[in-house]
Amino acid sequence: MMKPPVRVAITGGAGQIAYSLIFRVASGEMLGQDQPIILNLLEVPQALTTLKGVMMELQDCAYPLLQDVAITDDPNVAFAEIDYALLVGAAPRGPGMERADLLKINSEVFKIHGKALNEQANRKVKVLVVGNPANTNAFIAMKCAPKLDPKQFSAMMRLDHARAVNLLAAKVGVNVSAVENIVVWGNHSANQYPSIAHALVNGKAASSLVEQNWVENEFIPAVQQRGATIIKARGKSSAASAASAVVAHMRDWAMGTEKLVSVAIASDGSYDIPPGLVYSFPVTIKNGEFSIVQGLDIDKFSRSRMLVSQKELEQERDIILDLLG
Ligand code: NAX
């Protein structure tokens, strides 16, 4: 039996990630083959013509699950009664721009989007922030949406998680499905901490299969720098893999998973991460709610890496709190 349709908003609809993502969502890959979808696509005014072209292609796919599609440059229209918000759109980092400048520009975007979600979205909306700096943008949107529960906001670490799984599986010579319990802690930035400390490969401790030297000097930098490595090779940033990660993140959020995945959410103080900071944790998901996996041993090496990411996020938060006033 078909379910009633759900409304999904995707921002940055004319961008590269969206060009992959929109079609996968409309085909039913994200929410299932029994879930009809209404899509609201948001862009800046100057990209609306391009977005119209994307919409025409989408219509030409004749996806049976797609009940309607609308394009707009008004967040209040895009977010009206939506059940899922995929916040992909953000201003890119221009030449010579500092991270703080990017934060400042995107704080304005996510302030507006947070307020529009607060007023317009379904009260149970699930929000995923992809646009960078993703963790802090999620923090801003959350703060600007006081009528929504902070637990309704997340930032995407799933691409980093998948990169770490892939690199470990390749090193050990197994299929990715043999790898469990990878955790990517912290910020979606070059200071993230991809950890194999609790990872299993075919049920065996990953740490017994690889050298610590490889972990510290090859694996961690390779995961942290994977985005830059792809830009170098492709001339553009990751797009199809990012879309794939969005689909996996939202599917798990909607349908649940007992497997450990990495998700950036507001800290509840677990693992001594300051409450409220949007930090990536190991989570499982049930009934649409994230639970941070408790009780993992954190050794000295892990703690020092987790702290680097924490400090970066605290700095970003402090810049933003000043801007939000
Ligand atoms: P593109 O520059 O191709 O597309 C972004 C689109 O967003 C553009 O079409 C732009 O017009 C639109 N946009 C800008 N401001 C907007 C606003 N206020 N409202 C609506 N739309 C707006 O970038 P793309 O490669 O698609 O990447 C999108 C974002 O994802 C970037 O911020 C990127 O850094 C980030 N990423 C995050 C990842 C993650 O794992 N969290 C990985 C992939 C990606 O790098």
Side-chain angles (χ1 to χ4, degrees):
M1 253 259 292
M2 278 289 175
K3 299 174 180 167
V6 291
R7 289 178 189 272
V8 181
I10 301 179
T11 72
Q16 353 166 51
I17 294 175
Y19 194 62
S20 200
L21 177 63
I22 289 170
F23 297 86
R24 297 181 70 166
V25 173
S27 72
E29 215 181 310
M30 186 172 89
L31 296 173
Q33 294 302 326
D34 58 349
Q35 180 57 71
I37 283 167
I38 297 170
L39 270 180
N40 290 355
L41 308 177
L42 180 73
E43 257 298 348
V44 293
Q46 55 276 28
L48 278 180
T49 309
T50 309
L51 185 58
K52 196 170 176 193
V54 175
M55 181 175 72
M56 288 190 280
E57 278 203 80
L58 186 61
Q59 290 162 336
D60 291 348
C61 292
Y63 289 123
L65 290 172
L66 186 62
Q67 296 217 334
D68 199 6
V69 48
I71 62 173
T72 177
D73 59 3
D74 181 350
N76 284 301
V77 173
F79 297 158
E81 290 172 34
I82 55 165
D83 304 286
Y84 298 93
L86 311 181
L87 305 186
V88 180
R93 189 163 173 173
M97 205 190 258
E98 298 292 330
R99 198 171 164 90
D101 300 327
L102 185 70
L103 264 172
K104 205 167 163 181
I105 295 172
N106 280 317
S107 71
E108 280 309 311
V109 171
F110 285 84
K111 206 159 129 182
I112 294 167
H113 289 184
K115 285 183 177 165
L117 286 165
N118 195 46
E119 297 308 324
Q120 307 297 343
N122 180 321
R123 297 302 84 187
K124 300 269 182 213
V125 66
K126 290 179 165 55
V127 183
L128 169 62
V129 177
V130 177
N132 278 321
N135 301 49
T136 298
N137 288 340
F139 178 81
I140 298 164
M142 195 173 87
K143 289 285 170 208
C144 293
K147 291 191 212 164
L148 300 174
D149 188 331
K151 290 182 177 156
Q152 292 172 251
F153 290 82
S154 63
M156 191 166 89
M157 299 297 290
R158 189 58 172 264
L159 180 55
D160 308 290
H161 184 97
R163 286 167 172 169
V165 168
N166 169 50
L167 290 171
L168 177 62
K171 171 73 178 172
V172 184
V174 296
N175 183 270
V176 286
S177 59
V179 176
E180 288 174 278
N181 298 354
I182 285 266
V183 186
V184 182
W185 300 88
N187 197 3
H188 172 70
S189 77
N191 284 320
Q192 63 185 245
Y193 170 44
S195 167
I196 69 146
H198 309 96
L200 301 174
V201 177
N202 283 323
K204 236 174 137 178
S207 55
S208 69
L209 302 172
V210 293
E211 302 283 328
Q212 182 62 12
N213 182 41
W214 175 80
V215 173
E216 288 181 30
N217 298 313
E218 293 189 46
F219 172 75
I220 294 174
V223 179
Q224 291 173 330
Q225 296 301 327
R226 186 71 166 179
T229 308
I230 285 168
I231 292 176
K232 217 167 148 197
R234 208 173 83 88
K236 290 179 184 169
S237 56
S238 311
S241 55
S244 177
V246 174
V247 168
H249 177 116
M250 294 309 290
R251 190 181 51 222
D252 283 348
W253 198 358
M255 299 179 190
T257 178
E258 288 178 3
K259 280 194 182 160
L260 183 160
V261 288
S262 305
V263 177
I265 47 176
S267 171
D268 61 357
S270 292
Y271 296 101
D272 295 328
I273 303 303
L277 211 60
V278 177
Y279 191 95
S280 180
F281 290 100
V283 308
T284 55
I285 309 165
K286 199 174 170 189
N287 300 329
E289 295 210 358
F290 299 117
S291 301
I292 298 175
V293 174
Q294 300 295 327
L296 299 179
D297 279 341
I298 305 296
D299 62 16
K300 234 168 128 186
F301 174 77
S302 291
R303 179 56 68 188
S304 71
R305 294 302 181 109
M306 287 166 67
L307 211 54
V308 173
S309 224
Q310 176 188 323
K311 293 229 174 314
E312 183 179 50
L313 279 167
E314 285 176 321
Q315 267 177 12
E316 292 185 10
R317 178 198 59 194
D318 293 346
I319 295 172
I320 288 311
L321 287 177
D322 275 353
L323 291 172
L324 292 179

